Amino acid sequence: RTPAALLCLINSDKGSAIAKIVGANAAKHDMFETTVNMWVFEEMVNGRKLTEIINNEHENVKYLPGHKLPPNVVAVPDVVEAVKGADVLIFVIPHQFVNRTCDTIKGHIKKDAVGMSLIKGVDEGPDGLKLISDVIKEKLGITMTVLMGANLANEVAQEKFCETTIGCKSKDHGPLLKTLMQTINFRVTVVEEADVVEICGALKNIVAVGAGFCDGLGYGDNTKAAVIRLGLMEMIAFARIFCTAGPVSAATFLESCGVADLITTCYGGRNRRIGEAFAKTGKTIEELEKELLNGQKLQGPATAAEVNHILKHKNMVDKFPLFNAVYQICFQGHPVTEFISCLQNHPEHM
């Protein structure tokens, strides 16, 4: 049996939805230990500890209300206690907290544990791009995989059919992780290009903010389709420049982690919603996060800033006008109406 620990900041809808899947599969398959430890960052909800509510009522009443978690999922407020003895560690935390979390659990995990990151973001390293999975791998010294796809958390929790992609270079770990994650309505494909899968998951959030700008400015589906297409072109170009593990296959962008995740995020995700509100209200990203996201963090603008720094380092900002426009509008005071000119004058149209 493989003890499966879900390492996530459960103060999110996505962490709760994944906990539901992992808990059910751990109970169903003999290869896993039944109990799944889930790290919950403790907070008070109506005068009660969130961990106590989850463990007694099996529901994350704040972040994913109305969806029952399996009773074998145990909320643990101490992250070191949560990961003890685990062979599988699933990371679902905002990427701003990765370093601190890894520093806390380092030395308390099994050396042969396998990690899976659902974190959608990138870091800037001394040589340019640094993937979040690489940050975790360097910090903890464990094998890392990633899971990305068109998986809006509320729909996953409702068990509506969707697909996802696991990026895993190891042929040994892929089948195990697929068994842990797949259900009849959550279909998993495993591919070897883990770095491309992860880059897709990060960059699509930048494009979704741009799609939200279009919605807020009153443009229609034709304009949004252009945003999606041009954004996908920039995602592919970025991956081909910065993925050094080997050739970048166009086929990976046709998996759920690529075009499917991009489409669903540009129509239904929180980055799109905040982008729309930003264009309509003139409020800052920080103000809108507090008002609309119930304490959760937005990844699109932060990723746009990190990508902009990486591109500046390579003197390539001008080759990615859509990414750059999102950054300039979010952080440099450029008017949101400028976003349309980035589409009109995109190199793809020259």
Side-chain angles (χ1 to χ4, degrees):
R1 285 177 176 255
T2 300
L6 180 65
L7 170 61
C8 72
L9 195 70
I10 203 60
N11 310 55
S12 72
D13 51 357
K14 180 175 292 185
S16 302
I18 293 300
K20 184 178 177 183
I21 288 173
V22 171
N25 280 343
K28 175 181 176 183
H29 297 289
D30 287 341
M31 68 178 69
F32 302 112
E33 289 287 348
T34 303
T35 300
V36 175
N37 285 346
M38 175 177 69
W39 174 43
V40 176
F41 187 83
E42 192 70 276
E43 60 180 302
M44 302 300 291
V45 178
N46 297 325
R48 299 172 63 195
K49 291 180 179 179
L50 183 56
T51 53
E52 291 180 3
I53 296 172
I54 292 171
N55 288 334
N56 290 327
E57 299 171 20
H58 309 297
E59 182 180 348
N60 188 335
V61 294
K62 181 170 182 180
Y63 296 103
L64 199 68
H67 298 286
K68 289 294 184 182
L69 296 171
N72 60 311
V73 174
V74 178
V76 181
D78 183 335
V79 65
V80 172
E81 187 65 28
V83 302
K84 193 176 294 180
D87 289 319
V88 180
L89 303 172
I90 304 176
F91 295 81
V92 196
I93 56 179
H95 77 272
Q96 299 94 320
F97 302 127
V98 168
N99 282 297
R100 188 192 322 164
T101 303
C102 288
D103 287 340
T104 302
I105 65 174
K106 187 175 182 179
H108 298 281
I109 61 173
K110 296 176 74 170
K111 289 189 171 73
D112 59 351
V114 179
M116 176 185 283
S117 172
L118 279 67
I119 303 167
K120 296 184 173 178
V122 293
D123 264 4
E124 184 183 7
D127 301 317
L129 177 75
K130 193 162 194 180
L131 300 173
I132 300 300
S133 62
D134 287 337
V135 174
I136 298 171
K137 182 179 179 180
E138 288 178 13
K139 285 274 186 181
L140 301 179
I142 61 174
T143 298
M144 285 299 301
T145 65
V146 297
L147 182 146
M148 307 281 162
N151 315 137
L152 296 178
N154 203 50
E155 294 183 16
V156 172
Q158 291 170 14
E159 300 182 22
K160 293 181 177 179
F161 181 83
C162 64
E163 301 172 315
T164 198
T165 310
I166 291 177
C168 177
K169 292 170 182 164
S170 164
K171 287 183 168 58
D172 294 329
H173 295 137
L176 171 77
L177 296 173
K178 181 171 181 173
T179 301
L180 181 62
M181 301 305 303
Q182 181 161 272
T183 72
I184 189 68
N185 287 315
F186 191 73
R187 308 307 291 178
V188 176
T189 300
V190 181
V191 301
E192 290 187 20
E193 288 186 345
D195 47 355
V196 178
V197 173
E198 188 167 1
I199 282 178
C200 284
L203 298 183
K204 58 95 184 183
N205 284 330
I206 306 176
V207 184
V209 174
F213 291 162
C214 289
D215 289 341
L217 293 168
Y219 289 86
D221 285 338
N222 291 343
T223 306
K224 191 186 284 191
V227 171
I228 292 171
R229 189 188 75 83
L230 295 169
L232 180 61
M233 292 299 100
E234 293 194 12
M235 288 167 58
I236 293 171
F238 189 94
R240 285 180 169 159
I241 292 168
F242 291 99
C243 287
T244 57
V248 172
S249 165
T252 303
F253 291 92
L254 298 178
E255 296 291 349
S256 183
C257 63
V259 66
D261 196 8
L262 179 61
I263 291 169
T264 196
T265 307
C266 286
Y267 276 91
R270 66 183 66 139
N271 287 280
R272 187 219 62 82
R273 184 155 57 102
I274 295 295
E276 180 181 19
F278 182 90
K280 284 182 173 178
T281 67
K283 294 179 180 179
T284 66
I285 295 294
E286 291 77 12
E287 289 170 333
L288 293 168
E289 275 184 336
K290 289 176 184 174
E291 287 181 23
L292 301 177
L293 295 188
N294 199 23
Q296 299 179 82
K297 298 299 289 181
L298 197 68
Q299 297 301 319
T303 304
E306 284 149 359
V307 164
N308 188 265
H309 294 151
I310 291 166
L311 292 173
K312 275 182 181 171
H313 184 70
K314 297 281 190 181
N315 199 27
M316 289 183 173
V317 171
D318 293 343
K319 295 184 184 297
F320 297 86
L322 191 150
F323 291 170
N324 189 41
V326 171
Y327 167 73
Q328 289 179 326
I329 292 165
C330 288
F331 296 105
Q332 295 193 322
H334 286 225
V336 70
T337 50
E338 280 189 8
F339 187 68
I340 299 305
S341 67
C342 108
L343 305 180
Q344 294 166 335
N345 302 311
H346 200 281
E348 282 280 313
H349 297 144
M350 300 302 174

